[in-house]
Amino acid sequence: MKKRIVAFRRLKQEQLDQLTEDFHVDYFEKLDSADDPAFREALAEAHGLVGASLKITPQLLDEAPHLEAIASISVGYDNYPVDELTRRGILLCNTPDVLTETTADTGFLLIIATARRAVELAEFVKRGDWQESIGEAQFGTDVHGKTLGMIGFGRIGAAIARRGALGFGMKILYSNASPKPQLEQELGATRREMDELLAESDFVCVTVPLSAETEHLIGKREFALMKPSAIFVNIARGKVVDEPALVAALESGEIRAAGLDVFEQEPLSLESPLPHMANVVALPHIGSATHETRDAMAQRAVDNIALALKGERPISLVNEAAYQSRD
Ligand code: DGY
């Protein structure tokens, strides 16, 4: 009998065909909630899950007694109880590498858009307010030659820094658990304690994964350490930042502006002050959202789940210990 896969994010027909060659697939192209009865029914029989943006809880896992592997269509895995999955011997796979450059493009888009006030001024044109040559009231601030402070210096952080150093002549500072000597050499980057980085940077860009250690890593104290001219960019996860503290820092002028792709609550409610602030560029979590990259991520997840359910090693595995514990 074929093993069963539940897929709950849009996959291309070729990707579905690839899976159905070897597996029975229950496909939920658009799943609004884990409470969907058909989804729960399929889950009860599933050996594999492929999808994204769904909080997987231990309670949900209790309803999936046959589950052997999950392939998330994301690099971040804060939606999954990793220790619990490992304890149950369930493999968790993600999609690093294929989204690095696209997500770094989004990071740099936020840096430039906030510095040059692109969204605010595009709205100014749309409203018909461009009646005479623009003046100082519309000036932005330079990006080239400035200091870019990276909090987190993994694949995506390094790719943003590479754009800054090699494309815009920026000085790169980074704070990271381990030193990165190769990147120091390649980009002239310098490792700093986080407080020093916050005080010295013109742009502070967060790329750390969300974990118990990084939740609310940036709050009132950290904003107070930044320059009043600093621009803050978050391309990681909303919960890495204390959002009310960010709003207060933006309102009081403690920092100049913020470029945000992620929020504590997504989708971002219009009740939040953030989308209404002129010095905020707020994007709807588009980090990796291009046709090419989302296809590549879905393909990686499809390959990961197929390998995992065939007893082979997936390409990108989060919990190595679960793989090692297999018979
Ligand atoms: C990821 O892959 O983790 C990105 O945030 C897109 O969801």
Side-chain angles (χ1 to χ4, degrees), residues 46-250:
H47 301 93
L49 282 184
V50 185
S53 310
L54 186 70
K55 189 93 193 154
I56 303 291
T57 60
Q59 293 72 26
L60 214 54
L61 294 177
D62 287 342
E63 293 186 32
H66 309 293
L67 202 59
E68 296 174 22
I70 302 178
S72 185
I73 310 176
S74 67
V75 68
Y77 44 86
D78 43 291
N79 268 335
Y80 304 90
V82 181
D83 291 344
E84 187 60 30
L85 288 168
T86 305
R87 199 181 64 71
R88 296 175 191 229
I90 299 170
L91 305 190
L92 177 62
C93 313
N94 66 343
T95 61
D97 306 318
V98 293
L99 50 54
T100 302
E101 298 302 326
T102 298
T103 309
D105 286 348
T106 307
F108 225 83
L109 160 71
L110 285 170
I111 289 173
I112 300 181
T114 43
R116 300 301 303 273
R117 303 169 55 190
V119 175
E120 179 193 352
L121 294 176
E123 288 299 323
F124 170 86
V125 175
K126 266 194 198 162
R127 279 196 310 269
D129 287 350
W130 188 21
Q131 298 293 338
E132 54 186 45
S133 291
I134 58 104
E136 280 202 29
Q138 287 79 37
F139 288 180
T141 185
D142 279 342
V143 173
H144 67 270
K146 294 285 180 70
T147 298
L148 172 58
M150 299 302 308
I151 298 183
F153 214 33
R155 281 173 283 241
I156 293 170
I160 294 173
R162 198 168 283 117
R163 283 157 175 73
L166 307 182
F168 289 77
M170 296 178 94
K171 176 179 168 186
I172 308 296
L173 304 178
Y174 73 98
S175 101
N176 195 60
S178 54
K180 300 276 183 164
Q182 248 177 323
L183 288 170
E184 289 183 12
Q185 209 175 13
E186 181 194 343
L187 307 177
T190 310
R191 188 165 174 230
R192 287 273 196 275
E193 290 304 322
M194 195 169 84
D195 284 4
E196 292 167 3
L197 177 147
L198 294 172
E200 289 175 45
S201 299
D202 300 302
F203 295 85
V204 174
C205 182
V206 184
T207 62
V208 287
L210 176 64
S211 67
E213 291 77 47
T214 61
E215 186 162 350
H216 287 185
L217 179 70
I218 308 294
K220 190 174 172 357
R221 182 183 158 279
E222 287 69 31
F223 288 117
L225 287 170
M226 293 181 202
K227 297 179 183 181
S229 56
I231 290 181
F232 176 72
V233 171
N234 187 4
I235 187 88
R237 285 291 184 265
K239 289 196 172 112
V240 171
V241 178
D242 176 348
E243 222 164 74
L246 169 62
V247 170
L250 287 163

